Amino acid sequence: NEEPQGFVCVPEIRVEDDRTGLDIETLKRAFADNLFYIQGKLGSMATPNDYYMALAYTVRDRLLQRWLNSAQTYLRGDVKVVCYLSAEFLLGPHLGNNLINLGIYDRIEQAITESGLDLQELIAQEEEPGLGNGGLGRLAACYIDSLASLEIPAIGYGIRYEFGIFDQEIQDGWQVEITDKWLRYGNPWEIARPEIAVEVKLGGYVDHYVDDAGNYRTHWIPDREVHGVPYDTPILGYRVNTANTLRLWKAEAPESFDFQAFNVGDYYGAVDAKISSENITKVLYPNDEQVQGKRLRLEQQYFFVSCSLQDMIRLYLLENPNLDNFHETFAVQLNDTHPSIGVPELMRLLVDEHHMAWEQAWQITTHTFAYTNHTLLPEALEKWSVQLFGRVLPRHLEIIYEINRRFLDMVRIRYPDNDAKLASLSLIDELGKKSVRMAHLACVGSYAINGVAQLHTELLKKDVLHDFYALWPEKFSNKTNGVTPRRWVVQNNPGLSKLISRKIGDRWITHLDELRKLEQFADDPQFQAQWQQVKQNCKHQLTKQIKERTGVVVDPTSMFDIQVKRIHEYKRQHLNALHIITLYNRLKENPDLDLQPRTFIFGGKAAPGYFMAKLMIKLITSVGEVVNNDPDVRDRLKVVFLPDYNVTNSQRVYPAADLSEQISTAGKEASGTGNMKFSLNGALTIGTLDGANVEIREEVGAENFFLFGLTTPEVKEQKANGYNSWDVYNANPGLKKAIDMISCGFFSHGDQQLFKPLLDSLLYDDKYMLFADYQDYIDCQDRVGDAFKHKDAWTKMSILNTARSGKFSSDRAIREYCQEIWQVEPVPIELQEYVQANA
Ligand code: GL9
């Protein structure tokens, strides 16, 4: 007799199947079907969210074949897979993006319209997965988009936070934080895979023993175990069959968690343990550029990294007899140091669990990981106290000590009798409270180390990681950040996209350098007029949104001068505020002054525990209250604080900008990526020589960029020469007046205490050199105001900014990572005839 075959699933999918068909009638039927059978609603009962869900499932069905075929293909032994480990993925809403990448936007629009509904309204229903704080998390989202679009086999690994970045409300001019309940109405884009859940240990102690065969073995006896359940989301590339997986881990209590406590009647104790396990993935820490040495944060990091590495090993062992060549199948990128615990974790898995010799395991580990550094700010460099570390991860602490012992032995050979070198390179900081330096761990455990803009990489080599650079110069390289043109141009700025494609075809969407072809039209009056029209439409749309969301009426013909990003002293939103006050004072002195009308738009969240940043928001809203309501201003200046800046709310912002504020103190912003989105959408930049501004200016040309401020060496020099902001304040009447007004309560109903902490920090320390850069900034802004009056010249500069921003595509960045770090190649995904026929 034949062997039993088991259940063979060959889905028989026909072209106009309700789950794959793309005919308008089929789409309408599928949509109605999902509303009825998935949402359980009749049209008469359905909420906008029900309609959104029904549509989301209709779209998801249409990418499932691509997703499963991609996953299947990557299991092949000869495919190398990139694993992007990131504690944050700031994805933004999926629906619109998937429609564009699938190439079915227009059909769906027609089907939804014919169903009597409005596609825009349904798209607006989606709660964005705000699983990140800002640039770092958004970069990860752009990179997984590019990986899929370039047909690179890749898995994004991260954390499925139940509460993402908080929602921001502005009350009485202050930020108020509201929890982000993004999963409240369900998430149609994810599929849970509990059957491949993994176990993660925490705490306890370590036993060392010799086994029967005489081998030294280690046994970690944890005091807690947590289940990691993967939730998978498809990440579809642009007009390709590749749909990669974003695998986010949720912590759950293991099934057996409660038995012991339950049996002795401690029901509440048992439930308590369950709650504490599930806490691990409860909430995203809302800090940017500031570490919080909290135990739960370390547990989050270890949890998702352990889950991810165990998952890779599981996948690898499906096809291979042992782990000897693990590093030839997986290239694992550490997005900052947050996942750098992966280095000792892979060692533990190989040595303790798979009984590999230390030397071989180290060889594999150091050929698996590569590390991206994202910041130069000292307060953002992660360190864990040895005491806390040992309590949460006792075995990893031992492994780190062993890595360090071997590493320092090597250093001693390289630098004999040099204790200072040993101390500065050691994985353990012995000064003050003993701690583990995560950046050092990442450097020692990785075969490649990169910064995110040319200047940033140079500063890493020169300062922050200088000793590692001296040791291993060949490990270091630069990979300038990029952003995906699909979301940041095609989706958010359809008017501009259509204009561009009419002129130069649509290959620019995947080959952004082709935007150069627009240069030849930069002087063409007809093209300029069309360009201006597109910008004007975008400004009208933002004007409308500003009115709806803040009640402020702004003039869409004024210059839109925009600063959107996390609120931080080094980003200097308060320097921008000083400029507003300076212009305001000019108008008060001379109400008939011929001043270029401007709308100042701010957006961004402050870390809830960062008092000074919250005070900066209050300063901006307070200045706005005065300026917006002073009749002498005659509406020539308006100040808007757009609440709850996130991926969704940014959609209307970049396309509407005339001027992009990138005004960080030189040497502080690693790269910036908002600067790229603005320039791509035809805004001009006013900026310092910091981060990627340097390269933007290089690309678009100095004559199309408004540069001001001290350079990095000048900042250093001034500080060394005893820079004193008090002297600058006394010597500069415009600055003094602006500061004195804030100080005497002009913007705070007479309250002289309100802004005192902010003013004191400027007058007595000015760590970020606001006063040093003030006059140059004002002068530069005057040039901006004059330039804007010459419409045609400005439009030309705007066109050239877009035309020359091709370098800042995340496709270019990912190609560089693929070729220079990961050594991976595209693997096109085959689809059966019928699905291809539809595409
Ligand atoms: C950041 C840098 O500050 C940015 O300059 C950089 O563009 C991005 C991406 O490389 O990374 N590092 C960092 O910690 N954040 C960044 O934006 N902060 C947040 O993500 C909030």
Side-chain angles (χ1 to χ4, degrees), residues 562-591:
I562 310 187
Q563 187 170 21
V564 286
K565 50 183 77 240
R566 288 300 287 254
I567 311 293
H568 205 295
E569 287 163 280
Y570 87 80
K571 296 179 188 278
R572 303 199 295 192
Q573 282 92 352
H574 42 349
L575 179 58
N576 189 340
L578 289 177
H579 173 234
I580 301 173
I581 297 172
T582 304
L583 293 183
Y584 173 74
N585 287 337
R586 286 189 197 161
L587 282 183
K588 293 301 279 185
E589 273 163 34
N590 176 8

Side-chain angles (χ1 to χ4, degrees), residues 230-246:
Y231 283 69
D232 289 354
T233 300
I235 304 295
L236 178 68
Y238 180 77
R239 310 284 159 97
V240 290
N241 293 330
T242 297
N244 285 335
T245 295
L246 175 63

Side-chain angles (χ1 to χ4, degrees), residues 514-785:
E514 297 223 347
L515 289 176
R516 287 264 174 195
K517 291 183 179 164
L518 292 172
E519 278 190 29
Q520 57 185 305
F521 306 112
D523 282 309
D524 174 344
Q526 197 200 338
F527 187 65
Q528 284 198 356
Q530 293 168 329
W531 192 267
Q532 284 167 8
Q533 189 57 52
V534 166
K535 181 63 81 181
Q536 213 44 53
N537 293 345
C538 294
K539 289 169 75 174
H540 267 286
Q541 290 184 324
L542 183 60
T543 299
K544 207 170 132 234
Q545 200 183 66
I546 289 171
K547 175 80 201 333
E548 284 163 11
R549 302 192 56 231
T550 69
V552 180
V553 176
V554 307
D555 172 7
T557 66
S558 66
M559 180 201 297
F560 278 18
D561 175 337
I562 310 187
Q563 187 170 21
V564 286
K565 50 183 77 240
R566 288 300 287 254
I567 311 293
H568 205 295
E569 287 163 280
Y570 87 80
K571 296 179 188 278
R572 303 199 295 192
Q573 282 92 352
H574 42 349
L575 179 58
N576 189 340
L578 289 177
H579 173 234
I580 301 173
I581 297 172
T582 304
L583 293 183
Y584 173 74
N585 287 337
R586 286 189 197 161
L587 282 183
K588 293 301 279 185
E589 273 163 34
N590 176 8
D592 295 323
L593 185 75
D594 176 27
L595 186 86
Q596 168 57 48
R598 287 202 204 208
T599 302
F600 296 90
I601 298 164
F602 293 86
K605 293 172 184 176
Y610 186 0
F611 169 70
M612 215 61 107
K614 291 178 132 176
L615 196 54
M616 285 164 68
I617 293 178
K618 178 64 176 169
L619 176 66
I620 292 161
T621 55
S622 301
V623 170
E625 201 184 299
V626 170
V627 170
N628 295 352
N629 297 304
D630 187 327
D632 288 345
V633 173
R634 285 190 253 129
D635 291 341
R636 285 168 292 178
L637 302 177
K638 279 282 165 74
V639 183
V640 176
F641 193 96
L642 266 183
D644 202 32
Y645 183 69
N646 58 18
V647 177
T648 306
N649 290 327
S650 77
Q651 178 165 355
R652 296 242 129 44
V653 171
Y654 295 103
D658 294 308
L659 187 67
S660 151
E661 299 268 354
Q662 305 299 335
I663 60 178
S664 52
T665 320
K668 296 293 178 190
E669 188 71 271
S671 162
T673 43
N675 46 4
M676 301 169 182
K677 296 165 197 167
F678 277 115
S679 181
L680 262 171
N681 282 279
L684 274 75
T685 304
I686 181 163
T688 48
L689 280 181
D690 200 16
N693 291 355
V694 177
E695 290 156 76
I696 291 176
R697 180 166 173 269
E698 221 167 75
E699 292 293 306
V700 305
E703 67 285 7
N704 303 306
F705 186 105
F706 293 97
L707 178 71
F708 78 98
L710 298 174
T711 62
T712 307
E714 285 165 356
V715 167
K716 217 172 157 187
E717 189 185 301
Q718 283 221 13
K719 288 197 171 172
N721 295 339
Y723 166 70
N724 185 335
S725 55
W726 187 256
D727 295 341
V728 183
Y729 160 81
N730 280 313
N732 188 317
L735 173 62
K736 184 165 190 307
K737 174 140 194 217
I739 293 293
D740 291 351
M741 284 166 76
I742 301 172
S743 150
C744 76
F746 187 86
F747 299 106
S748 44
H749 307 278
D751 184 344
Q752 305 188 351
Q753 294 306 305
L754 183 62
F755 296 116
K756 194 165 184 302
L758 203 50
L759 296 175
D760 284 352
S761 85
L762 293 174
L763 287 164
Y764 301 112
D765 184 17
D766 197 14
K767 192 169 163 206
Y768 299 109
M769 312 293 278
L770 263 77
F771 289 7
D773 276 344
Y774 169 82
Q775 195 56 52
D776 203 19
Y777 179 55
I778 299 294
D779 295 343
C780 190
Q781 285 285 20
D782 289 343
R783 293 198 297 278
V784 171

Side-chain angles (χ1 to χ4, degrees), residues 399-433:
I399 292 172
I400 287 171
Y401 276 132
E402 179 60 14
I403 294 172
N404 200 34
R405 188 184 66 78
R406 291 168 183 250
F407 169 59
L408 293 181
D409 279 348
M410 183 273 282
V411 175
R412 265 185 215 99
I413 294 167
R414 174 77 191 268
Y415 301 102
D417 301 314
N418 191 339
D419 284 351
K421 250 321 162 231
L422 289 178
S424 78
L425 279 165
S426 175
L427 304 190
I428 308 295
D429 186 350
E430 308 268 357
L431 293 167
K433 200 166 180 203

Side-chain angles (χ1 to χ4, degrees), residues 88 90 132-140 143 286-290 335-336 338 372-377 380 451-453 456 479 481 566 570-571 668-676 691-692:
E88 303 188 6
L90 188 42
N133 272 288
L136 178 147
R138 182 56 231 178
L139 186 77
Y143 280 2
N287 305 321
D288 61 307
E289 316 267 357
Q290 172 74 50
N335 196 27
D336 214 289
H338 316 147
T372 305
N373 173 291
H374 292 270
T375 185
L376 297 157
L377 299 193
V452 291
H456 171 235
K479 298 286 169 283
N481 283 167
R566 288 300 287 254
Y570 87 80
K571 296 179 188 278
K668 296 293 178 190
E669 188 71 271
S671 162
T673 43
N675 46 4
M676 301 169 182

